[in-house]
Amino acid sequence: MLAQEAVNSGDTAWVLVCTGLVLFMTPGLAAFYGGMVRTRNVLAMLQQNMVALGVVSLTWVLVGYTIAFGDDAGSGLFGNLELFGLTDLKTPPAPHLHVVAGQVTIPTLAFVAYQMMFAVITPALVTGATAGRLRFAGWVAFLAIWSIVVYAPIAHWLWHPDGWLAAFGTQDWAGGMVVHASAGAAVLGTLLVVGRRRGWPRTASPPNSIPLTILGAGILWFGWFGFNGGDGLQANGLAAQALINTHLAAAAGMIVWLVAERLKDGHSTVVGGVSGAVAGLATVTPAAGYVNTLSAIAIGAIAGFVCHFALRLKYLLRLDDALDVLAVHFVGGMLGSLLVGFFGDSGVNPLGKDGLFFGGGGSLLWHQVVGVVTVVVFSFVLSWAIAAGVQATLGLRARAEVQDNLDHAQQDADAYHLGGVAGLNGSGAPQRRREPERGRDAQRPARPPQDARLVTATVDPTLLPTTRELRDALVGAGATAIVLFDATVSTAEPAARSLPRGFWQDQDLVGRARVEVVVERAAVPAVLDVLVRYGADRSECFVQDVQLATDVR
């Protein structure tokens, strides 16, 4: 069913493509977060994000859309319920904050689908802050309630022509307030209910897969072209301007974050680089369709600097924001919304207003301040109330004893089945099976050892280029049997472990590879020399008398 007589195929195609791009951002966010949590919480994090595609899509169609974009109920606070279940779609989306000029020329259902994807990803942002602490059933209930009670009214305020903040003059191109500020405020309220992880901030929580995080960041960057580029609902020059503003802000945010890391910590990291890019993306979101190219670069650069130093915010507030959602999305969303009041340029978008730097005075900045404060307070209070209610009924916080292994507790499954030793390099590229070489056979004793000893030691896996190299060295020293497996050992001095985004934590237990070698007594010193070469401490190696099974009668 079409909501208007004339439909522009180009505009419709562009909005539908952008819908797919924004949908793709949710699995991208899952990968971005999933790579940064502990190994045994990966599946739980992925599920917490992906389930939003199911839950919020349904709540949006049933009641969320009509609250956000139905005819205003008369107060500017929310729409009426006439479009419950998408019934009676008679009018097209209103040509207001998202439209350059003139009549909207896309089917209403295209607009419904596009806005649905924004509703899906917004509460999913919260999972990065609450990593390792959510019960799945409680989280599903929180998602459903929050998407209706918090997200939909805020979308009405800012993106419906009769919304009270829209009428007031507050501008939000693609969700600096509707998405990022509201989700960040929800993080504050939710963390007050679910509390901290066990041992935070003393216990280290290193990422399980930085490559997965980088892949997720790339998907987010790609998807953001639809997130910001489609909000004009037309395939035109403003869409191109919003798209290039999005990319350049991300680029500027990345470079500034890397420079800040280098100056502060002495090194620039790949996680820091993508964090700066995401900060730039989040910060330019409310401004992408209202500012020029140079302003977008400036906004991204400011985001890279401010959001990097906002990483300390969670320690100042004593809130266990596991993956720095507050610093990147909350601060970024609020910052970008305020910067619209400085960089707004009506020459870019006739529906926009001039900001302080373009001769518009302080009026737009005041409107932005009112919008940010209102959205943050509203979302914080209601998010806390929803989280507290879910905790009191279904339970929102996972039990302390399962927080370090949510994958087993909630799904009875593992994300990975390779340990540190199994993940070591083998002997090189695959080769055809061939007969053993005489030289290599000669390295093996022709008979079992007559006076056997068991040598046990722990070595540093990072010093093992290949498992073949260790094997050959031990066999060459006289070993007749070798067993290698993962181990965790205590250290006299805590080992400094680098965490994402420039933080370090001391670890009292570190990962090692445990080696057990059977060897004749005369060859024990040579075997010990090999093990010491690969990081073993001679004073912590053990040599025991053993009886081979073949000698047992």
Side-chain angles (χ1 to χ4, degrees):
M1 175 173 55
L2 301 183
Q4 60 268 32
E5 296 179 1
V7 171
N8 183 289
S9 59
D11 292 344
T12 302
W14 173 239
V15 172
L16 293 178
V17 167
C18 289
T19 300
L21 289 173
V22 181
L23 183 151
F24 195 35
M25 292 177 72
T26 296
L29 183 70
F32 185 68
Y33 285 165
M36 287 196 288
V37 298
R38 294 172 177 174
T39 304
R40 296 178 179 179
N41 287 344
V42 177
L43 297 180
M45 174 57 72
L46 297 178
Q47 186 180 51
Q48 288 167 17
N49 281 267
M50 295 302 293
V51 74
L53 282 167
V55 174
V56 181
S57 296
L58 296 177
T59 61
W60 182 251
V61 166
L62 292 175
V63 68
Y65 179 77
T66 188
I67 292 175
F69 294 103
D71 290 340
D72 187 72
S75 59
L77 296 177
F78 47 82
N80 59 33
L81 299 180
E82 290 182 0
L83 301 180
F84 177 86
L86 300 186
T87 58
D88 197 24
L89 293 178
K90 295 179 179 178
T91 58
H96 193 64
L97 294 181
H98 295 290
V99 181
V100 180
Q103 179 67 35
V104 176
T105 56
I106 64 171
T108 300
L109 285 178
F111 180 75
V112 172
Y114 181 61
Q115 287 295 332
M116 179 194 300
M117 303 312 163
F118 285 78
V120 166
I121 197 171
T122 301
L125 293 172
V126 176
T127 62
T130 57
R133 281 157 288 172
L134 293 181
R135 291 190 62 192
F136 181 64
W139 171 242
V140 169
F142 180 91
L143 268 178
I145 298 170
W146 195 91
S147 66
I148 296 171
V149 175
V150 179
Y151 179 84
I154 292 176
H156 185 83
W157 299 352
L158 285 155
W159 287 346
H160 192 285
D162 296 324
W164 77 273
L165 282 177
F168 180 67
T170 304
Q171 296 190 330
D172 185 2
W173 176 254
M177 285 176 267
V178 177
V179 176
H180 297 285
S182 68
V187 164
L188 292 174
T190 305
L191 287 179
L192 292 179
V193 175
V194 301
R196 306 171 184 172
R197 289 166 295 175
R198 184 169 53 182
W200 186 87
R202 298 179 306 277
T203 303
S205 180
N208 76 89
S209 176
I210 289 178
L212 182 62
T213 292
I214 305 310
L215 174 63
I219 294 173
L220 286 173
W221 196 329
F222 175 66
W224 229 293
F225 291 146
F227 199 85
N228 289 351
D231 281 81
L233 305 181
Q234 292 182 325
N236 56 14
L238 184 57
Q241 182 70 68
L243 188 149
I244 198 167
N245 285 351
T246 299
H247 182 70
L248 293 177
M254 169 183 280
I255 298 304
V256 170
W257 190 297
L258 289 173
V259 171
E261 270 194 336
R262 179 71 177 179
L263 295 176
K264 178 174 174 288
D265 305 315
H267 55 268
S268 299
T269 67
V270 65
V271 173
V274 297
S275 297
V278 173
L281 292 165
T283 305
V284 80
T285 290
Y290 296 127
V291 302
N292 63 36
T293 305
L294 290 179
S295 295
I297 295 174
I299 289 171
I302 294 170
F305 179 82
V306 172
C307 293
H308 173 75
F309 288 97
L311 293 173
R312 302 298 307 178
L313 184 63
K314 64 182 180 182
Y315 297 105
L316 295 176
L317 298 176
R318 304 297 297 169
L319 292 173
D320 182 10
D321 174 9
L323 306 183
D324 300 306
V325 178
L326 292 176
V328 176
H329 295 280
F330 186 44
V331 171
M334 293 191 298
L335 177 64
S337 298
L338 297 178
L339 290 177
V340 172
F342 292 91
F343 291 100
D345 183 359
S346 60
V348 171
N349 185 347
L351 292 178
K353 301 176 184 177
D354 290 322
L356 197 60
F357 294 160
F358 288 82
S363 175
L364 178 57
L365 180 59
W366 166 243
H367 295 158
Q368 298 302 102
V369 170
V370 172
V372 168
V373 172
T374 304
V375 167
V376 168
V377 172
F378 177 80
S379 178
F380 169 73
V381 173
L382 285 188
S383 298
W384 174 84
I386 295 169
V390 173
Q391 173 65 15
T393 52
L394 295 176
L396 184 60
R397 176 183 172 88
R399 301 190 315 275
E401 59 269 22
V402 302
Q403 289 183 12
D404 292 334
N405 198 352
L406 289 180
D407 289 354
H408 273 196
Q410 296 181 359
Q411 302 195 29
D412 194 25
D414 294 307
Y416 306 109
H417 298 281
L418 292 177
V421 172
L424 288 172
N425 291 330
S427 57
Q431 299 176 358
R432 294 178 60 186
R433 181 177 294 276
R434 59 180 180 234
E435 294 299 321
E437 299 174 8
R438 291 180 177 274
R440 190 172 301 280
D441 283 347
Q443 294 178 357
R444 292 182 177 274
R447 55 182 175 78
Q450 301 303 304
D451 188 10
R453 295 292 186 272
L454 176 65
V455 180
T456 304
T458 57
V459 299
D460 188 346
T462 63
L463 299 179
L464 300 178
T466 66
T467 52
R468 173 63 60 84
E469 179 178 312
L470 176 63
R471 171 196 174 277
D472 288 349
L474 289 172
V475 170
T480 61
I482 303 169
V483 177
L484 181 67
F485 51 93
D486 289 322
T488 303
V489 301
S490 62
T491 58
E493 294 293 333
R497 178 67 182 266
S498 176
L499 299 179
R501 301 184 177 119
F503 290 110
W504 293 77
Q505 285 185 326
D506 291 338
Q507 289 184 283
D508 297 314
L509 297 175
V510 295
R512 289 290 183 263
R514 181 180 175 91
V515 185
E516 293 182 350
V517 181
V518 177
V519 62
E520 288 188 349
R521 178 178 181 179
V524 167
V527 168
L528 288 173
D529 288 341
V530 171
L531 296 173
V532 168
R533 194 163 71 229
Y534 291 105
D537 187 337
R538 205 176 192 102
S539 64
E540 295 180 355
C541 297
F542 300 93
V543 180
Q544 301 168 275
D545 294 333
V546 296
Q547 183 178 14
L548 298 179
T550 54
D551 296 333
V552 177
R553 299 289 186 267

